[in-house]
Amino acid sequence: MEIITDPKNKILSSPTQPIDHITSNVKSLANDMYKTMIKNKGVGLSANQVGCPLSLIVFSDIDHKKRYDLINPKIINVSETLCEMEEACLSVPGLWGNVIRPEKITIEAKNLSGKKIKYKFKDLLARVVQHELDHLSGILFVDKAKHVYKQSKYTNHEF
Ligand code: ZN
């Protein structure tokens, strides 16, 4: 599975479609996306980054101990506290940038079994989820970053 690495590709700037039926195709797409994410040393990936315009994201914590697959995720609450953090993206190679986002979020989604789930995230996971949700809306971190630069200042995780 190939990740789209041209930030100008239209699929990356187009909103994705909700998933109505969680078929075996959707499950294998999620599995393939997760493998592709790990192989490319990422911590998150959205379906449109691999060319499928569907509302599906996969991500993990930084050491890949816990895997998350979220279908039709929606942010239902954000903290008032904002924080600035460096981001990078598997679809925008060679660029980093600081983005200001809420520090904590609550999201609702379905898991691969079709069960409705609710999560609260903070720190890096809140960051990854917001970055991936932007992908599902056709937004890249470089559209939101205050500064974009060609050398990572802190980290090397990519979403
Ligand atoms: Zn990304």
Side-chain angles (χ1 to χ4, degrees):
M1 187 170 250
E2 293 289 319
I3 296 175
I4 293 169
T5 52
D6 173 9
K8 291 194 177 70
N9 189 311
K10 278 232 157 57
I11 199 163
L12 293 175
S13 52
S14 310
T16 53
Q17 296 298 311
I19 294 174
D20 295 327
H21 302 288
I22 303 163
T23 59
S24 54
N25 283 345
V26 170
K27 289 177 192 175
S28 39
L29 172 63
N31 288 336
D32 288 348
M33 281 169 58
Y34 195 79
K35 279 183 214 150
T36 303
M37 182 197 92
I38 299 282
K39 195 175 133 198
N40 288 277
K41 299 183 170 58
V43 290
L45 195 64
S46 64
N48 51 339
Q49 285 182 278
V50 293
C52 301
L54 295 172
S55 185
L56 165 67
I57 62 175
V58 299
F59 57 98
S60 73
D61 51 2
I62 192 70
D63 44 13
H64 307 307
K65 284 205 177 105
K66 181 150 173 55
R67 166 178 165 175
Y68 298 89
D69 304 82
L70 301 185
I71 291 167
N72 305 337
K74 271 196 185 70
I75 294 179
I76 55 168
N77 204 8
V78 297
S79 62
E80 276 179 37
T81 314
L82 304 175
C83 67
E84 186 172 331
M85 200 186 276
E86 180 178 86
E87 296 188 22
C89 180
L90 292 167
S91 294
V92 189
L95 290 179
W96 288 262
N98 290 352
V99 185
I100 297 171
R101 299 186 189 270
E103 189 181 27
K104 298 175 191 170
I105 55 164
T106 308
I107 56 146
E108 247 176 31
K110 278 186 176 173
N111 66 14
L112 287 181
S113 315
K115 197 176 161 219
K116 207 171 166 183
I117 42 175
K118 203 175 181 179
Y119 285 115
K120 282 185 182 178
F121 291 117
K122 57 179 180 153
D123 304 327
L124 181 67
L125 280 177
R127 181 60 50 158
V128 173
V129 171
Q130 291 178 84
H131 176 114
E132 298 313 328
L133 278 162
D134 274 353
H135 274 302
L136 297 182
S137 305
I139 298 164
L140 296 175
F141 84 94
V142 285
D143 303 332
K144 287 190 166 176
K146 279 208 318 191
H147 309 287
V148 174
Y149 38 88
K150 291 188 174 167
Q151 180 77 52
S152 172
K153 290 183 181 166
Y154 310 101
T155 58
N156 55 3
H157 16 268
E158 294 180 284
F159 331 134

